[in-house]
Amino acid sequence: MVHLYARVLGLLGPQMKLGWVLALANVALAAAGLAEPVLFGRIIDALASAQGSGGAPDWPRLTPLVAAWAGFALFLILCGALVALYADKLAHRRRQVVLSDYFEHVLQLPLSFHSATHSGRLMKVMLAGTDTLWWLWLGFFREHLAAIVSIAVLLPLSLYLNWRLGLLLIGLSLIFLALTTFVLRKTETMQKSVERYYSDLAERASARKCRAGTELHPG
């Protein structure tokens, strides 16, 4: 998986600087996403303790917590929207560039290659490959990187805050990981068979079209 992401991110080319900016923004989003619920929990604890003692809330203590919590919440909304926007732009730009490069590469191949491999299969590979690259770029900068950073920080933080609930969270995460891996492997196997079927179908359609054109124009 790491090798796959490394190869896909290596295709960013001139957009690599924007990729680094989006990666840092994802790290900031992950940190803010962890800080926001912790601050909210401290606000609730302060209000609950004041209500339990029968006194008024300690506003000099609560005001910075509320301000920080509201600031992190606004940052999550604004930064998340900007990351989603520029990740979408980056993915679309690179998809068009990769699509153009692949098409030019196919046109420069010798006729012997084209006679052995039908154009329908090449078009299918080109469209499926660029769509997959677009999805990986978009998903990585929108969700995947922030989720990876959040998990890497959340699990040790949960052990620090409450080791019992932290161990329960780690156990549930391992179960979820095992089930997800099982489902993804099954899905990948069946998806490969479907893609193989559609590639063969595109090749047959292209071959029939070429045969029909030859029969109509034998000269």
Side-chain angles (χ1 to χ4, degrees):
M1 183 64 71
V2 177
H3 179 65
L4 174 63
Y5 273 119
R7 290 187 62 185
V8 171
L9 295 176
L11 296 174
L12 289 177
Q15 300 290 328
M16 186 66 71
K17 291 183 179 180
L18 179 57
W20 278 109
V21 173
L22 291 175
L24 294 176
N26 273 272
V27 174
L29 280 174
L34 294 174
E36 189 261 343
V38 172
L39 289 172
F40 184 73
R42 293 191 176 183
I43 293 172
I44 297 301
D45 288 340
L47 293 175
S49 61
Q51 185 179 7
S53 61
D58 188 4
W59 290 111
R61 177 191 170 192
L62 279 173
T63 301
L65 292 176
V66 173
W69 172 69
F72 276 114
L74 291 176
F75 174 78
L76 283 172
I77 295 172
L78 296 177
C79 188
L82 290 175
V83 167
L85 174 63
Y86 283 97
D88 189 80
K89 288 184 177 181
L90 172 65
H92 278 291
R93 288 172 184 170
R94 293 309 301 167
R95 180 184 181 277
Q96 295 300 323
V97 172
V98 172
L99 188 65
S100 300
D101 292 343
Y102 181 85
F103 192 73
E104 292 179 1
H105 172 70
V106 170
L107 291 179
Q108 294 174 1
L109 292 174
L111 292 176
S112 58
F113 177 84
H114 289 284
S115 60
T117 305
H118 294 282
S119 59
R121 179 180 291 273
L122 294 177
M123 293 295 293
K124 178 67 175 59
V125 171
M126 178 177 67
L127 295 176
T130 52
D131 287 342
T132 302
L133 287 174
W134 172 83
W135 180 83
L136 285 173
W137 284 322
L138 188 63
F140 180 79
F141 289 115
R142 269 191 176 183
E143 301 171 355
H144 299 171
L145 181 57
I148 293 171
V149 175
S150 297
I151 292 174
V153 177
L154 178 61
L155 295 182
L157 181 62
S158 62
L159 291 175
Y160 172 76
L161 296 176
N162 190 323
W163 66 271
R164 295 179 181 86
L165 293 178
L167 290 177
L168 177 61
L169 178 62
I170 292 175
L172 292 175
S173 300
L174 292 176
I175 294 174
F176 178 77
L177 178 62
L179 292 175
T180 304
T181 303
F182 173 75
V183 172
L184 287 178
R185 286 182 178 177
K186 283 287 187 180
T187 305
E188 182 182 7
T189 302
M190 292 185 288
Q191 186 67 29
K192 283 183 178 179
S193 63
V194 173
E195 291 294 332
R196 193 179 305 113
Y197 171 77
Y198 279 121
S199 297
D200 293 340
L201 184 62
E203 181 176 347
R204 291 174 185 175
S206 176
R208 289 183 180 179
K209 186 177 180 181
C210 292
R211 192 179 303 116
T214 304
E215 293 176 355
L216 290 175
H217 305 282

